[in-house]
Amino acid sequence: MNATPAVNIGRLLQSVAEFAAIGATPAGGVNRPALSAKDRAARRLLAERAWARGFSVFQDEAANLFIRREGRDAALAPLLIGSHLDSQPTGGRFDGALGTLSAFEVLEALADADLKTERAIEVVAFTNEEGSRFSPGCMGSMAFAGAGAVADWSDAQATDGRLLADELAETLRAMPEAEVRPAGHAIAAFVELHIEQGPILEREEIPIGIVTAVQGTKWLEITFSGEAAHAGTTPLEFRRDPMAAAAAAIARIQDDVMPCDPQARLTVGRITAEPGSINVIPGRVTFTIDIRHPDAEALAAIEQRVTLECRAAGARRNCETSIQLRVDMPPGRFAPRVTAAIEDTCRALGIARRPMVSGAFHDALFVSRVAPSAMIFVPCRNGISHNEAEFVSDEHILIGARTLLGVAQRLAAE
Ligand code: HGY
Ligand code: MN
Ligand code: MN
């Protein structure tokens, strides 16, 4: 008679702490850039844990890392659970890692109970979800879902100058024991546990969010080109100052565009000036705009409005304006069959839950294009994320992992 699988919370908390040490920052966060040596170290640690438990490990050509625990019927497509291990430069220890490690805990709990599920269950750590070191984000899950190919991005250059193709090759080489397969194998369903990265669950004191949809995202890169000139000798009427154009455009975006729609989210996260010298009027200024909205048409309309504002600001300063659409992630809806499995599991475990839409993008957004998918959210303190102060209580980590275990058993039994 098999024991009932149970989450070993001590082991899971220990895992979270050990992975948080890889790329740990002095302020208690994590800096584990995609496809960096620290990302490779985290992947190796997870793979070694897997081999120690007798699970198999393989990669795909996008360096997505898979850990597989066999089921009774190898002919059935596996259930996929997991998230990502890469982080923001000043990220938290839970974004991505909690979902990946909770998924691994599911495999360990099943193995501890010696319970064989009908379907195999695979844990995935998707490559470059954050998109911070290499754009776009969700590269691994896009490649898995056929929504992009590694070849499309191979000349992408990291913010630290390294080429994606080189870092990807090095990451694959760093784990020769893991066979590399083509991206996009068949799966039965996908469930991703993740922190909410917003304030709703904590404010409503609800431990589980059943994510039914993900809002859309567009990343624009705006470049104003003017004329580098002397800061001291160039009167206003002779200036073609791209920094002045950027400042005017960003002010319009923040003061006039975003307030028009309470659901709109516009963020300028990165700006660079060339040559970047204190006493030179820049020749060129480039900045990024991250636009989010749950409605595809509204998202497109905001992109239009932002484009007009930027072109007008460039023209007023006699600068050329170039606008590149770097990322275009339409909103996505998750599969009712999978959200129902989360609902049923929470009901059976007596866990309070609520449906919600994700403000952040996630790998599940792309995986949902090729398999029924959904997400489980757990609260994070003050809704803070993409910040070293990111925090999730032990209680919510346990409730999240128990929910994921229950959902995995349901979906791997069908
Ligand atoms: O930016 C996002 O929405 C994700 O958290 N990387
Ligand atoms: Mn994430
Ligand atoms: Mn993130």
Side-chain angles (χ1 to χ4, degrees):
M1 172 64 173
N2 297 326
T4 306
V7 169
N8 179 329
I9 187 61
R11 175 170 62 195
L12 179 51
L13 294 175
Q14 174 72 16
S15 273
V16 170
E18 283 182 19
F19 278 78
I22 304 175
T25 62
V30 169
N31 178 13
R32 197 163 50 225
L35 299 173
S36 66
K38 296 208 181 332
D39 188 11
R40 289 188 275 273
R43 289 157 175 264
R44 164 91 17 210
L45 178 58
L46 191 61
E48 283 168 1
R49 285 273 180 79
W51 289 315
R53 293 299 313 243
F55 307 144
S56 56
V57 180
F58 62 95
Q59 307 178 80
D60 68 18
E61 60 213 20
N64 294 317
L65 182 65
F66 296 90
I67 289 162
R68 180 181 167 99
R69 181 173 186 264
E70 293 304 330
R72 277 193 295 271
D73 186 347
L76 292 175
L79 168 68
L80 186 67
I81 56 178
S83 189
H84 61 95
L85 287 173
D86 65 300
S87 81
Q88 288 287 335
T90 53
R93 59 177 55 197
F94 301 101
D95 178 355
L98 185 65
T100 307
L101 298 174
S102 299
F104 189 75
E105 174 57 30
V106 165
L107 294 195
E108 294 211 87
L110 293 169
D112 291 347
D114 193 21
L115 187 141
K116 269 283 184 211
T117 50
E118 196 59 26
R119 295 179 181 279
I121 300 180
E122 293 177 355
V123 170
V124 62
F126 280 113
T127 297
N128 188 27
E129 186 278 342
E130 295 292 355
S132 174
R133 184 183 185 214
F134 295 105
S135 183
C138 287
M139 263 187 195
S141 46
M142 275 202 257
F144 182 83
V150 168
D152 301 340
W153 310 307
S154 55
D155 60 354
Q157 190 153 29
T159 43
D160 52 29
R162 297 270 296 170
L163 284 180
L164 177 85
D166 298 338
E167 292 288 64
L168 189 61
E170 190 162 337
T171 301
L172 290 171
R173 272 197 307 272
M175 202 177 291
E177 310 93 324
E179 174 202 0
V180 180
R181 299 181 188 169
H185 63 284
I187 60 169
F190 176 59
V191 183
E192 178 173 9
L193 181 141
H194 204 285
I195 56 173
E196 178 199 341
Q197 300 181 296
I200 296 168
L201 290 174
E202 184 187 53
R203 191 174 56 206
E204 296 183 8
E205 296 181 356
I206 294 176
I208 292 291
I210 302 178
V211 186
T212 57
V214 180
Q215 71 175 344
T217 298
K218 286 180 182 277
W219 282 359
L220 299 182
E221 187 176 90
I222 317 290
T223 298
F224 288 125
S225 302
E227 183 177 48
H230 195 294
T233 58
T234 313
L236 184 57
E237 61 271 24
F238 288 90
R239 290 184 177 215
R240 295 180 53 223
D241 183 351
M243 186 61 87
I250 294 168
R252 293 281 292 186
I253 285 163
Q254 298 295 351
D255 299 343
D256 302 332
V257 181
M258 182 139 77
C260 290
D261 180 338
Q263 290 185 293
R265 305 277 185 275
L266 287 91
T267 307
V268 177
R270 186 186 289 154
I271 186 165
T272 53
E274 296 165 64
S277 168
I278 192 167
N279 50 356
V280 176
I281 299 167
R284 188 165 49 197
V285 168
T286 298
F287 62 96
T288 58
I289 306 178
D290 175 317
I291 308 172
R292 312 269 176 128
H293 201 286
D295 176 83
E297 278 169 33
L299 187 62
I302 293 169
E303 180 192 6
Q304 284 280 45
R305 176 79 194 276
V306 164
T307 299
L308 283 174
E309 293 293 354
C310 288
R311 293 202 183 285
R316 277 198 301 278
R317 299 287 170 168
N318 199 8
C319 293
E320 280 86 54
T321 304
S322 109
I323 299 175
Q324 309 267 328
L325 177 61
R326 291 284 187 217
V327 164
D328 192 359
M329 296 181 185
R333 299 204 63 75
F334 286 141
R337 181 166 73 82
V338 184
T339 54
I342 303 170
E343 170 67 29
D344 294 345
T345 300
C346 288
R347 188 182 310 111
L349 294 175
I351 295 172
R353 64 280 178 193
R354 58 152 286 165
M356 57 199 304
V357 175
S358 173
F361 62 70
H362 294 285
D363 292 310
L365 174 62
F366 289 96
V367 181
S368 67
R369 297 189 185 180
V370 292
S373 304
M375 294 183 75
I376 298 165
F377 272 177
V378 294
C380 49
R381 186 171 56 194
N382 303 327
I384 289 287
S385 181
H386 284 191
N387 180 311
E388 293 162 293
E390 188 181 273
F391 179 80
V392 184
S393 70
D394 295 356
E395 181 202 9
H396 288 145
I397 291 174
L398 175 58
I399 293 171
R402 289 182 63 217
T403 304
L404 183 62
L405 174 60
V407 172
Q409 283 180 267
R410 277 172 198 280
L411 295 176
E414 293 169 352

